[in-house]
């Protein structure tokens, strides 16, 4: 059985961590889209796009893939490369080339990780072979645009099977899109083991345990407008607790007041993996004060290094962070509860040690590990290959 895994650069840390285990169990080819819009992500930061458009062996045009040697099978890594001006129009052609590549190589299953963009609609010619991982069962606050709704409408009407990554939103997802129960398979994400291969850059990282960390692209649903005022309360009780905020994006509120505080370090820019890994390794713990959520890559990045987390009671976050086992779960949009939780964990090094031990045990073996996830999805691929005619109703 041959599977094509159509990854996205913005999900590359998840994809690579999964493929590290999945390629041990089956014939899986990794295919990554690269174009002027998607050139920078968690695992890759291409300095320049290869000038030719087409389907290429990844290492032939991007030497950055060679860092993955020994972690995934580079002989089964390809890039759908689209370069130059009017790239979105060119992408129509490169996706015709991708379709031909998928047909010629006789893939049995196509595992997609994101609803196809409009220039990828030609891939629906092979829709009976598709399985789609649904990272966002419903769009996040501020991201529910007309184009997003259109892409999701096509995907949820044409793809026969879906993988959902948290149980909390399963029924809402099924009901909203009027899907049959048997079209949706429960799964999860594990810790981002890919990050363990990254050499940390400690150039601008404070000493270990001297701060807590918020990381990720800035968006309204991330809850920074609750975390920053919570830190003012934290500082009154725990004056040695500092917060580092890292990630690019436009703030939806005025942060000038917080930029002036010496116990808050705001780095509003793209953070390369080397810096992120160093920041996670030295942090006491991470904080994810989201106002709505599906899963959190920040939590899984932290768990790769056994770092506890504080998260809010939204979406699938309580499934990832078991309360008082891997960290603490607090009510969303509650500045006082968030501040109290930060102080509780900051003041108790023994509690952090206990949480770290449980994270290591739960996410490196057993039901929460990539090995178990890969075994389950390999079985799903086999089942789908046997009955690809299963279609939407």
């Amino acid at each position: 059985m041959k599977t094509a895994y159509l990854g996205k650069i913005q999900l590359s840390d998840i994809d690579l961590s999964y493929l590290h285990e999945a390629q041990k169990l089956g014939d899986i080819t990794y295919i990554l889209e690269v174009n002027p819009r998607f050139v920078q992500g968690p695992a890759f930061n291409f300095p320049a796009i290869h000038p030719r458009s087409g389907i290429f062996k990844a290492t032939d045009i991007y030497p950055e893939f060679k860092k993955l040697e020994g972690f995934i099978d580079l002989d089964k890594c390809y890039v759908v490369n689209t370069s130059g001006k009017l790239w979105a129009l060119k992408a129509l052609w490169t996706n015709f080339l991708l379709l031909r590549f998928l047909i010629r190589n006789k893939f049995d299953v196509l595992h997609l990780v994101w609803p196809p963009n409009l220039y990828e609609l030609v891939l629906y010619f092979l829709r009976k072979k598709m399985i789609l991982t649904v990272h966002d069962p419903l769009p996040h606050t501020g991201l529910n645009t007309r184009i997003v709704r259109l892409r999701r409408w096509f995907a949820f009407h044409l793809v026969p099977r879906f993988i959902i990554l948290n149980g909390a939103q399963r029924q809402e997802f099924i009901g909203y899109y009027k899907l049959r129960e048997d079209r949706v398979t429960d799964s999860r994400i594990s810790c981002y083991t890919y990050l363990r291969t990254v050499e940390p850059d400690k150039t601008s990282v404070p000493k270990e345990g001297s701060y807590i960390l918020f990381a990720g692209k800035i968006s309204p649903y991330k809850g920074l407008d609750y975390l920053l005022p919570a830190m003012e309360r934290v500082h009154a009780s725990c004056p040695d607790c500092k917060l580092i905020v890292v990630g690019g994006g436009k703030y939806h509120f005025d942060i000038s007041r917080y930029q002036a505080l010496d116990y808050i370090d705001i780095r509003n820019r793209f953070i390369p993996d080397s810096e992120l890994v160093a920041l996670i390794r030295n942090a006491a713990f991470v904080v994810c004060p989201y106002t709505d959520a599906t899963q959190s890559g920040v939590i899984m990045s932290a768990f790769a290094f056994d770092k506890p987390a504080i998260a809010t009671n939204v979406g699938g976050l309580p499934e990832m962070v078991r309360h008082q086992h891997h960290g603490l779960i607090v009510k969303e949009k509650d500045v006082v509860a968030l501040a109290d939780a930060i102080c509780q964990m900051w003041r108790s090094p023994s509690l952090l040690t206990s949480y770290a031990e449980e994270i290591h045990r739960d996410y490196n073996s057993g039901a929460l590990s990539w090995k178990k996830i890969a075994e389950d999805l390999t079985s799903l691929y086999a089942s789908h290959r046997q009955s690809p005619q299963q279609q939407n109703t």
Side-chain angles (χ1 to χ4, degrees), residues 5-8 11 15 111-115 131-135:
Y5 188 96
L6 277 61
K8 293 294 182 183
L11 297 170
D15 296 342
H111 185 165
L112 284 67
V113 298
W114 205 254
I131 298 174
L132 172 63
T133 294
V134 183
H135 286 269

Side-chain angles (χ1 to χ4, degrees), residues 148-165:
V148 167
R149 290 194 296 271
L150 182 61
R151 289 169 46 211
R152 292 169 69 89
W153 185 91
F154 274 111
F156 299 138
H157 280 78
L158 296 177
V159 177
R161 286 193 178 182
F162 305 98
I163 298 167
I164 194 168
L165 301 176

Side-chain angles (χ1 to χ4, degrees), residues 95-109:
N95 277 278
F96 271 109
L97 297 180
L98 175 58
L99 177 63
R100 185 175 67 175
F101 176 86
L102 296 170
I103 293 172
R104 285 184 173 181
N105 285 276
K106 299 180 179 179
F107 288 102
D108 301 295
V109 175

Side-chain angles (χ1 to χ4, degrees), residues 345-379:
M345 284 178 53
W346 182 260
R347 289 168 173 160
S348 181
S350 61
L351 192 64
L352 295 180
T353 300
S354 173
Y355 290 164
E357 291 171 351
E358 297 219 30
I359 291 165
H360 186 82
R361 181 179 62 250
D362 292 347
Y363 278 90
N364 285 276
S365 62
L368 299 178
S369 68
W370 281 120
K371 183 177 184 295
K372 173 59 175 172
I373 293 167
E375 289 171 351
D376 291 344
L377 294 188
T378 299
S379 297

Side-chain angles (χ1 to χ4, degrees), residues 213-234:
L213 180 67
F214 172 98
K217 186 177 180 180
I218 305 303
S219 295
Y221 75 90
K222 295 293 183 68
L224 261 178
D225 44 342
Y226 296 93
L227 175 58
L228 295 180
M231 279 304 299
E232 293 182 295
R233 298 180 65 91
V234 170

Side-chain angles (χ1 to χ4, degrees), residues 67-204:
K67 68 183 180 181
L68 300 171
E69 188 172 10
F71 191 73
I72 62 172
D73 187 350
L74 292 180
D75 286 334
K76 293 184 179 179
C77 290
Y78 289 82
V79 168
V80 183
N81 197 72
T82 310
S83 62
K85 296 179 180 180
L86 302 176
W87 68 266
L89 291 178
K90 288 184 181 180
L92 295 171
W93 171 243
T94 52
N95 277 278
F96 271 109
L97 297 180
L98 175 58
L99 177 63
R100 185 175 67 175
F101 176 86
L102 296 170
I103 293 172
R104 285 184 173 181
N105 285 276
K106 299 180 179 179
F107 288 102
D108 301 295
V109 175
L110 308 182
H111 185 165
L112 284 67
V113 298
W114 205 254
N117 289 294
L118 298 184
Y119 52 77
E120 297 173 306
L121 293 182
V122 65
L123 299 181
Y124 283 124
F125 181 80
L126 298 175
R127 62 187 179 277
K128 290 184 179 181
K129 296 184 176 186
M130 289 181 173
I131 298 174
L132 172 63
T133 294
V134 183
H135 286 269
D136 296 331
L138 298 171
H140 286 303
T141 300
L143 302 179
N144 191 13
T145 66
R146 183 177 300 177
I147 292 297
V148 167
R149 290 194 296 271
L150 182 61
R151 289 169 46 211
R152 292 169 69 89
W153 185 91
F154 274 111
F156 299 138
H157 280 78
L158 296 177
V159 177
R161 286 193 178 182
F162 305 98
I163 298 167
I164 194 168
L165 301 176
N166 72 77
Q169 295 175 308
R170 176 186 173 89
Q171 292 307 317
E172 186 178 11
F173 170 64
I174 289 173
Y176 189 85
Y177 290 104
K178 298 180 174 57
L179 303 173
R180 289 202 318 260
E181 289 273 355
D182 62 352
R183 291 178 62 201
V184 181
T185 296
D186 293 320
S187 187
R188 67 199 68 82
I189 57 175
S190 189
C191 61
Y192 291 177
T193 52
Y194 153 74
L195 290 173
R196 296 172 185 165
T197 70
V198 175
E199 184 68 26
D201 178 4
K202 297 183 179 180
T203 305
S204 59

